[in-house]
Amino acid sequence: MEKMLLKSTTRHVRIFTADVVNNDLIFHPNKLTLDLDPDNEFIWNEDSLKKVNQKFTELVQERAGKSLDDYELRKIGSEVEGLIKYLLQNGLLSYNPECRVMNYSMGLPKTKEVL
């Protein structure tokens, strides 16, 4: 039976049951690959990227031995989205003004005028 690549997609997080080989996604039943902020909506710094990658790794490790099904992938994606929102709300991440569509998907930026 051929295995099918699974993915979970939210606005800012894509997770695949795959490995990246020569820029292609190749199905791997025990490996998850994270594609973060595919639309470049945010300006990332090393610290915020490290926090998100660390959280992703922790979430994957918590599920060691469990089936990597759609439900588990969605749970991981939702928790990573929550961390992104936390980072944005606490000024550790900012919107990218060069993004092709500015819709403030995680809420309006906090400025002195809004506070």
Side-chain angles (χ1 to χ4, degrees):
M1 180 174 144
E2 186 176 324
K3 297 291 184 175
M4 186 171 75
L5 177 84
L6 297 177
K7 73 176 183 174
S8 173
T9 303
T10 65
R11 173 137 177 106
H12 308 103
V13 177
R14 293 179 186 161
I15 301 171
F16 302 92
T17 53
D19 200 3
V20 178
V21 178
N22 298 323
N23 290 327
D24 291 323
L25 288 172
I26 306 298
F27 171 75
H28 192 294
N30 299 313
K31 168 108 179 172
L32 294 181
T33 296
L34 174 67
D35 181 11
L36 186 61
D37 191 20
D39 295 324
N40 296 314
E41 188 172 351
F42 303 110
I43 297 173
W44 293 89
N45 58 53
E46 288 301 316
D47 190 45
S48 58
L49 279 172
K50 183 179 176 183
K51 287 178 195 254
V52 169
N53 284 316
Q54 183 177 19
K55 180 68 172 180
F56 178 71
T57 300
E58 289 171 8
L59 292 168
V60 171
Q61 289 173 347
E62 287 173 8
R63 288 157 175 83
K66 290 184 179 179
S67 175
L68 296 177
D69 58 17
D70 288 331
Y71 179 72
E72 290 298 327
L73 295 182
R74 281 193 307 271
K75 284 173 46 178
I76 292 170
S78 293
E79 290 191 45
V80 173
E81 280 274 338
L83 176 59
I84 293 169
K85 187 170 188 172
Y86 171 84
L87 294 172
L88 183 66
Q89 290 175 339
N90 287 281
L92 303 170
L93 186 64
S94 61
Y95 283 108
N96 178 3
E98 302 298 318
C99 183
R100 64 182 171 85
V101 178
M102 287 300 298
N103 65 4
Y104 302 112
S105 62
M106 291 278 192
L108 290 174
K110 293 182 180 181
T111 63
K112 291 179 183 178
E113 295 81 26
V114 175
L115 296 175

